Every structure is written in C-alpha cells, then in structure tokens.
Amino acid sequence: MEQRELGRTGRNVGVIGLGAWQLGADWGDVSEDDALATLTAAVDAGVTFIDTADVYGDGRSEQIVGRLIKDRPGLTVATKMGRRVPQEPSAYTLDNFRAWNDRSRANLGVDTLDLVQLHCPPTPVYSTDAVFDALDTMVEEGRLAAYGVSVETCEEALTAIARPNVASVQIILNAFRLKPLEQVLPAAQKAGVGIIARVPLASGLLSGKYDERTTFGQDDHRNFNRHGESFDVGETFSGVEYDTGLQAVRRLQSLVPEGMTTAQFALRWIVDQPGVSVVIPGARNAVQARANAAAAEAAPLPAEALSGVRDVYDELIRPQVHHRW
C-alpha cells in the first residue's frame, strides 16, 4: 500500500487506514470476535494506521485495538480524548489530560501513545494557549509521542494548523464535504500538518448500498442522531439529508470506473486529493476491511470523474452543508 508521511508525527502510514468507532458502539452490535477479525483483515491487507477514541464504547474500542497491537508491531494507533465529560472549555486541563491519558494507555496496553487528538472540543479550546501548553507537557513526560485535533469545522482546522506543534488534523472529507479542499488542505500542506480524512463514506451512504427501505437499529447513530439529537449532526451522513444523499449517490454511481465499487470510488476520490495523509473508513467485518484497503491499489480517478463529483456536490449537496462546517 502507498505510504504517506503523517504530518509532524514523522511517521509514514498506509494511505487507507481503519476507523474503529464501530468496534466500540453506536453502529449496532459488533462482537469482539468480529471486531478482532476486522482489525486483523485490515492489517493483513496493508493497513498500518488505526484510529480510535476513549469514548468509543467507553473504552471498548481501545481495548480491542490493544489486543491486536500486542502481536502486530509497527502499527500507528491514534486515539482521542475529551468526549467523556461535559463539553465545557474548563474541562481541558493538564490534570484531566493526564487522567484521560492514563486510561487510554491502560486500555491500549502501551506506555506512550503514538498520537492523541482532542476529540472535537468546544471551539474556544482551539484558541486557548494553556491547552496546547498542557499537550506539550504531555509529550515532554513521554505520555504521548505527538498530538493533533479532530475538528468539526474548517475554521477550527485552520486555527489548529497555525499551532506550531499540532501534528495532524482529522476532518470530515468526502464527496459530500468539499469545503476542506478550499483552504484547509492547502494550509496543512504548507505547514507540514497531516490530514486524517474521517467519515469518508458519509456513514455508509457513499457505499451505494442504502435505499429508501434501509433501516438502522435503535443503537445506531444513523437512527438516533439523524437530526443531531446526541452529537453534531454532521457526524451522521455528513449532515446531508438522507433522501438527498441517496439521490446524489445514484448520480455518482454513473462515474464509477469498471471493476471498482461505489465505496472504493469514494475512498479513491479522497486519496487523490493533494494534502491527504490517510483515510479512515470504518468496517464491521473482514470483507469490508479488505475491500476498503483495495481502494489504495486502484488507479487515480480520471479528470471527468473528479469534475463529476464536483457537479453533484454543487447541485445537490452544497446548499445543505457548505455554509455549516
């Protein structure tokens, strides 16, 4: 698999990684055996970057990833912190960081975390010097090798990129979220900051497997967070209204080259964007993990496909999302 440098971490990672939210919670039930099989299949297919968080299943995702990495040296694991407490800027202190860090290190079974990201914190946190001083202290203490941020908005991303020791920015980037291409990716490239593209399949919409009859379980955020009831609505279907998303995907499917699935097309589109370090699709089973990884081996998309994605975005998606994030 193609390797790219992950910003200021100094690490090289495979361009297709694995997002491990679904191995913890909020995507329906995934057994521990299935979770480990998914992780193993991804790594066997060339994945070297795994993204998790302390809040995914309240530590379950971290613990399962920790079981894998005991026997798989050389992987890069990123985790996130901050969403297990009420979202107040005052919670982002060195003492709290140390406590959260202790828990994640125990869950993952490591002394030093490869990359720790603030997990979509309140917007004022990005402008608070003391927060980043605390993160620098954590690096000095050997608790983590590097730190970054996971953001909701392009404005938050640009503020973080300007910080001298932010190694990476994780942002929603997919065929339904083109705004980061305008300023965020060029700024990150100039600063040497890595871009981790999250929600690359728009919660599965861009897989092309859903229709008007598809249903989701009560414990699946694609059911309970359709309108932002539990967290930012942009995390669910990238903030796109479901029926509009279906219409857009049907148009995108006419652009998919022969021999490629709709999901692989969506992932390859992200890989082709200058400045992207790694894309982190989720997977619930080994088959999905292997199919996602195969997108890295596909040829770059032709110019007409890239322009076609832009046309669909401008006509159907832009009015719903561009001004919001």
Side-chain angles (χ1 to χ4, degrees):
M1 184 183 293
E2 178 190 352
Q3 303 290 301
R4 294 183 182 176
E5 187 171 5
L6 182 57
R8 294 169 177 158
T9 67
R11 292 169 172 262
N12 290 326
V13 297
V15 71
I16 299 289
L18 179 73
W21 180 8
Q22 74 289 345
L23 307 185
D26 298 327
W27 291 81
D29 182 60
V30 179
S31 72
E32 189 162 329
D33 286 345
D34 285 345
L36 283 168
T38 300
L39 289 165
T40 299
V43 174
D44 287 346
V47 166
T48 63
F49 180 85
I50 300 170
D51 180 84
T52 183
D54 59 2
V55 76
Y56 295 163
D58 199 27
R60 181 178 189 257
S61 178
E62 286 183 328
Q63 291 164 9
I64 294 172
V65 172
R67 286 184 57 187
L68 173 86
I69 62 177
K70 286 179 181 178
D71 303 317
R72 294 290 186 127
L75 300 176
T76 295
V77 175
T79 192
K80 298 185 284 293
M81 65 180 184
R83 300 294 296 187
R84 295 179 62 252
V85 298
Q87 291 303 287
E88 300 291 340
S90 59
Y92 287 75
T93 66
L94 179 56
D95 285 345
N96 280 345
F97 287 176
R98 284 174 173 149
W100 301 341
N101 178 263
D102 286 345
R103 186 175 184 271
S104 288
R105 289 188 299 153
N107 283 340
L108 286 162
V110 299
D111 293 325
T112 302
L113 297 169
D114 298 333
L115 176 65
V116 174
Q117 304 156 98
L118 299 182
H119 198 172
C120 300
T123 300
V125 167
Y126 296 96
S127 301
T128 304
D129 290 345
V131 168
F132 294 89
D133 290 344
L135 291 168
D136 287 335
T137 297
M138 299 265 280
V139 174
E140 293 166 4
E141 293 174 346
R143 292 170 165 273
L144 49 99
Y147 64 81
V149 296
S150 183
V151 305
E152 294 288 4
T153 71
C154 290
E155 289 73 17
E156 291 169 347
L158 292 169
T159 302
I161 288 167
R163 292 277 173 182
N165 295 325
V166 166
S168 61
V169 168
Q170 185 175 147
I171 190 167
I172 297 177
L173 175 65
N174 59 46
F176 289 170
R177 285 286 195 97
L178 271 58
K179 190 174 181 179
L181 304 183
E182 296 175 357
Q183 296 184 48
V184 173
L185 267 61
Q189 275 190 293
K190 184 176 180 180
V193 171
I195 290 291
I196 302 168
R198 66 187 182 92
V199 196
L201 298 178
S203 309
L205 253 182
L206 285 165
S207 71
K209 296 179 179 178
Y210 302 161
D211 61 24
E212 288 81 1
R213 297 178 297 278
T214 303
T215 59
F216 302 95
Q218 292 299 310
D219 57 349
D220 191 317
H221 74 101
R222 292 169 293 185
N223 181 13
F224 68 74
N225 195 59
R226 282 280 181 106
H227 306 288
E229 295 91 335
S230 297
F231 41 80
D232 192 285
V233 70
E235 303 290 340
T236 302
F237 301 130
S238 297
V240 176
E241 191 272 328
Y242 185 72
D243 288 338
T244 302
L246 292 177
Q247 182 183 354
V249 169
R250 286 164 184 152
R251 286 185 52 182
L252 291 174
Q253 286 175 320
S254 67
L255 305 172
V256 178
E258 186 176 353
M260 183 181 285
T261 68
T262 305
Q264 289 167 341
F265 172 84
L267 295 174
R268 187 69 228 187
W269 179 87
I270 301 170
V271 170
D272 289 345
Q273 305 308 313
V276 170
S277 305
V278 58
V279 186
I280 52 168
R284 291 169 53 91
N285 56 57
V287 172
Q288 290 177 355
R290 285 190 287 266
N292 289 341
E297 308 305 321
L301 296 177
E304 56 268 26
L306 299 177
S307 62
V309 170
R310 170 70 68 173
D311 290 343
V312 171
Y313 177 82
D314 286 342
E315 293 175 30
L316 294 176
I317 306 300
R318 177 185 287 269
Q320 292 189 17
V321 305
H322 201 84
H323 62 289
R324 299 186 66 180
W325 294 283

